[in-house]
Amino acid sequence: MIDCDVHNDWTSAEVLLPYLDANFRDYLKRGEIPGPRGSFPHAHRPWLHPEGFKRTDIVAANDAPPGSDYELMREHLLDRYDVEYAILLGEEAIEVSTLGNPHYASALARAYNDWMIETWLLLDSRFKGSIVVAPQDPTGAAEEIRRVGAHPDIVQVLVSSGSYRPYGDPVYHPIWEAAAEMDLPFAAHLGGQGGLNYNPIGGGPTTFFWETHALLCETGMAHVASLIAHGVFEKWPNLTFVLIECGVAWLPGVLWRLDADYKALRKETPWLKKLPSEYAREHIRMTTQPLEQPKDRQHLWNVLEAIDGKNTLLFSTDYPHWDFDDPTQVHIPPE
Amino acid sequence: MIDCDVHNDWTSAEVLLPYLDANFRDYLKRGEIPGPRGSFPHAHRPWLHPEGFKRTDIVAANDAPPGSDYELMREHLLDRYDVEYAILLGEEAIEVSTLGNPHYASALARAYNDWMIETWLLLDSRFKGSIVVAPQDPTGAAEEIRRVGAHPDIVQVLVSSGSYRPYGDPVYHPIWEAAAEMDLPFAAHLGGQGGLNYNPIGGGPTTFFWETHALLCETGMAHVASLIAHGVFEKWPNLTFVLIECGVAWLPGVLWRLDADYKALRKETPWLKKLPSEYAREHIRMTTQPLEQPKDRQHLWNVLEAIDGKNTLLFSTDYPHWDFDDPTQVHIPPE
């Protein structure tokens, strides 16, 4: 069992200081938002989570954040559920996408990657790492992918699903080119709301976390359509896009609509050679948590059948977050 | 057979001049965008429709816009398909929602409503009308609903699905109150992108019409969640929300997620007394066109079963638009 969504946190963003470009150290240490969270402006959105994002039963020593304690993670997750590999995504690192300053954003991403490689990946042979990049700095992101992408325990490139443009846009193609060159999947995880990025909900700012959480698939929907439409998978046929924590039940409807509209409007995208649903089947993967929970499980299983879930879903727990999926309780078809 | 999405157009926005508040006539006639489209800034979005929005086989006299010619509409739609009632939505009128000037937006909406009532509704007893309001002017919108809502042929209040906030937000409650008082459903139709309103796609501005059209459900998703979360249907139990031209296949997934998250996070919305899916089943209706078209029709029929489509879907053609659904070709279960 491979867990594709595990959050390794830091005790404080100041752990990044030794890894950060010297000219930015002062910015992280004394600038706005010093301390544990650091320059990762996670909270610039209209709502606040009424429970907090972390599981409250995970209490690390010295009140360190859940996810920062390897021993607890081993006990709660790796050993308890016999995890073969756990893919680490960091906690706040993807929030660099919200910063208007692309230089600082890329510097923070580099510092996080080096810290993660030199600390977390050495702790346990079951850990695999994700390279965090700042998508608003496509050249810098591509350089970073080439700089550390050959590390044997790095398994993907990671950004937030919140974005300034949907990720198929040519502005991001340097990133795709580098990922293809290093043969790494490109993953987007829920986050990156506010700051530089567009509102993640189409109808405007939302009020409640509850309401918002049900709609956070909207960024993922945009990326799926955009990546297919811009021909990213024609240009780089070895690329895989992994959508993390965005649910799955919306995918069939989007693909049905893309397929039908493509038949009528293909002149907009003459570089495509297959139906959108065929690109999706070959190049797009989605993690399970938080998997939709209809009253009648057959309704979800119908969805999984429509997207060939057996071959397109990746298992994930989202440890140590509040909506963690216990691997023994996931409601997917037994086979 | 009742067609819930028919677009009656004008030959030119200047038909509204006699109905417009005197102090705004000059603005419509000589201001920016004079002529056929008038002050309805429909085109302020990042993409252009590569085919145009209208059916090219509908050629009205003197090159008037398709939809502006009643005789053609009677021939092509009302008589051909034996339509019992056709609900008129206008063409550009809902675009008033994009204007930053709420006074002018409401004045244009009033002028459209009077023009529609005094011309279109008199043409055919099969026509039913929608009151267009400017949602960014909640007080003015409520006044307009009370001013013309009692007309026997007015059947709903209408806004664009593109919005500044999702429609459950209390800023809009004067509109809901007036609609409930007049016992009129509140409908949102695709449109209102740009200007005052938020980008309708969560991941940022899109490139192609094709890609965008597959994602335009995103505003509808936000309204459904917002209306339920803010307790609009508890406050006004006689209200119905009609979502027009936003598709249906995304609804089950959103409701499953809302139900599951509500169980965990209900403290955010203590005024709710039922599961979100129960409010949806009682108060939300969706039009068919453009109904999703999976290769395997059973996949869509599974969706319709999950949302009790037999009791929640409204038939629509979208005459005279390019993606018109021929009533004899709609792929819904025969029963």
Side-chain angles (χ1 to χ4, degrees), chain A residues 205-225:
Chain A
T206 43
T207 305
F208 308 107
F209 172 73
W210 164 58
E211 164 201 21
T212 312
H213 190 257
L215 300 171
L216 284 176
C217 54
E218 294 202 2
T219 51
M221 297 167 80
H223 299 314
V224 164

Side-chain angles (χ1 to χ4, degrees), chain A residues 252 256 263 302 305-306, chain B residues 248-249 291-306 313 325-335:
Chain A
W256 298 337
K263 288 177 193 167
N302 291 338
E305 188 206 303
Chain B
V248 301
L291 198 58
E292 288 85 355
Q293 302 178 44
K295 213 184 292 180
D296 178 351
R297 285 182 178 194
Q298 186 59 47
H299 285 154
L300 177 67
W301 297 7
N302 290 339
V303 169
L304 299 183
E305 186 206 306
L313 280 192
D325 272 358
D326 183 322
T328 66
Q329 303 289 325
V330 174
H331 46 289
I332 49 178
E335 69 274 21

Side-chain angles (χ1 to χ4, degrees), chain B residues 5-22:
Chain B
D5 185 6
V6 176
H7 295 284
N8 54 307
D9 205 352
W10 48 59
T11 52
S12 163
E14 296 198 354
V15 300
L16 301 187
L17 285 171
Y19 304 92
L20 192 62
D21 295 354

Side-chain angles (χ1 to χ4, degrees), chain B residues 232-304:
Chain B
V232 163
F233 303 122
E234 278 295 335
K235 261 178 117 168
W236 297 288
N238 66 327
L239 267 181
T240 300
F241 177 60
V242 183
L243 195 52
I244 300 173
E245 205 174 344
C246 288
V248 301
W250 51 270
L251 183 62
V254 170
L255 294 178
W256 299 337
R257 197 166 290 289
L258 284 172
D259 278 1
D261 284 354
Y262 174 65
K263 287 176 194 169
L265 297 160
R266 67 180 71 185
K267 76 175 173 189
E268 282 191 294
T269 53
W271 44 82
L272 297 186
K273 296 178 179 149
K274 299 180 213 173
L275 282 177
S277 59
E278 295 174 301
Y279 289 111
R281 171 62 192 80
E282 288 170 35
H283 296 279
I284 293 175
R285 299 293 178 265
M286 308 175 83
T287 61
T288 53
Q289 186 280 334
L291 198 58
E292 288 85 355
Q293 302 178 44
K295 213 184 292 180
D296 178 351
R297 285 182 178 194
Q298 186 59 47
H299 285 154
L300 177 67
W301 297 7
N302 290 339
V303 169
L304 299 183

Side-chain angles (χ1 to χ4, degrees), chain B:
Chain B
M1 192 264 280
I2 300 173
D3 185 345
C4 297
D5 185 6
V6 176
H7 295 284
N8 54 307
D9 205 352
W10 48 59
T11 52
S12 163
E14 296 198 354
V15 300
L16 301 187
L17 285 171
Y19 304 92
L20 192 62
D21 295 354
N23 60 316
F24 283 120
R25 279 184 206 152
D26 199 54
Y27 200 155
L28 176 61
K29 195 168 178 173
R30 300 196 311 118
E32 194 186 340
I33 334 183
R37 174 160 282 164
S39 302
F40 298 82
H42 197 285
H44 291 188
R45 18 174 180 72
W47 47 266
L48 295 165
H49 194 310
E51 294 284 346
F53 284 100
K54 300 284 191 78
R55 272 172 54 172
T56 52
D57 64 327
I58 300 174
V59 183
N62 302 318
D63 282 331
S68 66
D69 187 320
Y70 161 64
E71 296 297 335
L72 281 183
M73 187 185 285
R74 194 174 62 173
E75 180 195 331
H76 285 153
L77 182 71
L78 303 175
D79 292 351
R80 182 170 302 169
Y81 299 109
D82 198 17
V83 173
E84 188 179 350
Y85 292 114
I87 302 184
L88 301 177
L89 307 182
E91 181 66 48
E92 310 289 3
I94 56 171
E95 300 299 319
V96 294
S97 72
T98 65
L99 295 170
N101 182 336
H103 315 290
Y104 189 35
S106 275
L108 287 169
R110 282 193 300 272
Y112 167 77
N113 292 333
D114 284 340
W115 170 75
M116 180 268 300
I117 289 168
E118 294 185 23
T119 60
W120 281 90
L121 291 186
L122 300 180
L123 285 170
D124 198 302
S125 62
R126 289 169 287 189
F127 285 148
K128 297 289 173 184
S130 312
I131 306 171
V132 171
V133 297
Q136 70 274 48
D137 178 21
T139 313
E143 280 171 14
E144 180 63 357
I145 293 167
R146 293 190 175 96
R147 183 180 74 89
V148 288
H151 188 290
D153 290 321
I154 291 297
V155 295
Q156 66 187 357
V157 177
L158 179 67
V159 295
S160 66
S161 66
S163 63
Y164 177 66
R165 294 295 302 270
Y167 285 132
D169 194 275
V171 74
Y172 300 118
H173 285 197
I175 303 178
W176 291 99
E177 186 163 77
E181 187 184 310
M182 305 307 286
D183 205 17
L184 289 171
F186 179 90
H189 181 286
L190 218 53
Q193 301 181 40
L196 187 64
N197 293 334
Y198 268 79
N199 192 61
I201 311 292
T206 43
T207 305
F208 308 108
F209 172 73
W210 165 58
E211 164 202 20
T212 312
H213 189 255
L215 300 171
L216 284 178
C217 55
E218 295 202 0
T219 49
M221 297 167 81
H223 299 313
V224 164
S226 174
L227 289 167
I228 294 170
H230 280 281
V232 163
F233 303 122
E234 278 295 335
K235 261 178 117 168
W236 297 288
N238 66 327
L239 267 181
T240 300
F241 177 60
V242 183
L243 195 52
I244 300 173
E245 205 174 344
C246 288
V248 301
W250 51 270
L251 183 62
V254 170
L255 294 178
W256 299 337
R257 197 166 290 289
L258 284 172
D259 278 1
D261 284 354
Y262 174 65
K263 287 176 194 169
L265 297 160
R266 67 180 71 185
K267 76 175 173 189
E268 282 191 294
T269 53
W271 44 82
L272 297 186
K273 296 178 179 149
K274 299 180 213 173
L275 282 177
S277 59
E278 295 174 301
Y279 289 111
R281 171 62 192 80
E282 288 170 35
H283 296 279
I284 293 175
R285 299 293 178 265
M286 308 175 83
T287 61
T288 53
Q289 186 280 334
L291 198 58
E292 288 85 355
Q293 302 178 44
K295 213 184 292 180
D296 178 351
R297 285 182 178 194
Q298 186 59 47
H299 285 154
L300 177 67
W301 297 7
N302 290 339
V303 169
L304 299 183
E305 186 206 306
I307 57 169
D308 190 18
K310 202 172 164 182
N311 292 303
T312 59
L313 280 192
L314 306 175
F315 177 73
S316 63
T317 65
D318 198 20
Y319 180 91
H321 287 173
W322 73 289
D323 50 351
F324 172 82
D325 272 358
D326 183 322
T328 66
Q329 303 289 325
V330 174
H331 46 289
I332 49 178
E335 69 274 21

Side-chain angles (χ1 to χ4, degrees), chain A residues 262-274:
Chain A
Y262 172 65
K263 288 177 193 167
L265 297 161
R266 66 180 72 183
K267 75 175 175 188
E268 282 191 295
T269 52
W271 44 81
L272 296 186
K273 295 178 179 148
K274 298 179 214 173

